[in-house]
Amino acid sequence: MNEALEHKLKIRQVRPTAMRLLVLEALEKQASAVSLQDLESAFEKADRITLYRTLKTFQEKGLVHRIEDGTGATKYALCEVGCECAPEDLHVHFHCNNCQQTFCLPKIGIPAFQLPNNFSLQEINLMAKGICAACR
Amino acid sequence: MNEALEHKLKIRQVRPTAMRLLVLEALEKQASAVSLQDLESAFEKADRITLYRTLKTFQEKGLVHRIEDGTGATKYALCEVGCECAPEDLHVHFHCNNCQQTFCLPKIGIPAFQLPNNFSLQEINLMAKGICAACR
DNA sequence: ATAAGAATGCAATACCATTGCAGTCCTGCT
DNA sequence: AGCAGGACTGCAATGGTATTGCATTCTTAT
Ligand SMILES: [Mn+2]
Ligand SMILES: [Mn+2]
Ligand SMILES: [Zn+2]
Ligand SMILES: [Zn+2]
């Protein structure tokens, strides 16, 4: 089917099955991060567990990153090209308390700060909440 | 019983029941944030739901803040004196991937950053993960 | 002492995440 | 092409946490 989509999976060592191509396509259309439920209702046809495992695979292979926005359900968004999900690749996330959407803000890196002595950093997550531009 | 504990509840408009005094006392003893499960096993006697509602009340009245450390269970820690849980009162949290404890770092405020135009900020949460000083 | 309101204990429910297993699809090899 | 092994999928089942309903008990003010 779509050569570009297939390529994106292959370079991340993910075998391009029909389901995965559909999920990747769906993720590319999103302006905000999606939950498993969002995906499930996007394709009436697909099985919830398969979607779950697809997202898990995508995450393990570095295609998407997971976002815990405090709403109870994990959300996912495509990584930027070249992202390795290392602390220096990470960006701020914003959850709108009105429309409940969660956005990646890839332009806004996480500002540096000093940890106490002998603490070593492996991951970092900065979640901001408030009202998004479309909602005010 | 303990006048000081009672006072801490009263100034936050929380009626000082036996259970609440015990929970507050237990929270003060903690070096790291506690989950509902942690509390539950701390007092063999107490009912899980009562503990749940106690923590919820404490949070609503500004005695504790909740911490989503991504482990699935919400954790709670006492607020600093004078804390109003406003964005400027907030601090960084650190979760140790080895001992699984989650620490408040009240000395480390959340660094400022610029949101996109017309986004307004209401809450903010910076969660760092790695290895704590005791574990290395 | 009494009545109203608050807090508690137990049961039930609602979600979301995760795993087990059997059937199906794919891929590489002969 | 035929076959074997591994990967992927679909459905059922399970585990864990959060949340609510309701009846009972406790606390406080009149
Ligand atoms: Mn993101
Ligand atoms: Mn804290
Ligand atoms: Zn919004
Ligand atoms: Zn540790």
Side-chain angles (χ1 to χ4, degrees), chain A residues 25 44 66 101 104 130 133:
Chain A
E25 188 180 23
E44 194 52 49
R66 61 187 302 158
Q101 284 184 285
C104 290

Side-chain angles (χ1 to χ4, degrees), chain A residues 7 16 19 37-39 49 55 67 75 91 93 103 109:
Chain A
H7 181 66
M19 189 77 255
Q37 281 227 355
D38 294 336
L39 259 194
I49 308 303
L55 287 173
I67 306 165
K75 296 191 181 164
H91 50 257
H93 289 123
F103 303 96

Side-chain angles (χ1 to χ4, degrees), chain B residues 66-120:
Chain B
R66 60 189 300 158
I67 307 165
E68 319 264 358
D69 63 9
T71 58
T74 304
K75 296 191 181 163
Y76 301 84
L78 286 176
C79 288
E80 303 286 299
V81 288
C83 168
E84 298 299 333
C85 290
E88 60 274 14
D89 292 328
L90 298 175
H91 51 256
V92 173
H93 290 123
F94 186 90
H95 176 75
C96 176
N97 286 327
N98 183 247
C99 63
Q100 306 297 320
Q101 285 184 284
T102 295
F103 303 95
C104 290
L105 301 178
K107 302 270 181 59
I108 305 181
I110 296 180
F113 58 93
Q114 188 75 34
L115 283 176
N117 278 344
N118 297 320
F119 278 61
S120 69

Side-chain angles (χ1 to χ4, degrees), chain B residues 9-21:
Chain B
L9 293 179
K10 285 178 179 169
I11 58 177
R12 293 290 193 164
Q13 322 293 336
V14 177
R15 284 160 62 167
T17 67
M19 190 77 257
R20 287 170 177 173
L21 289 167

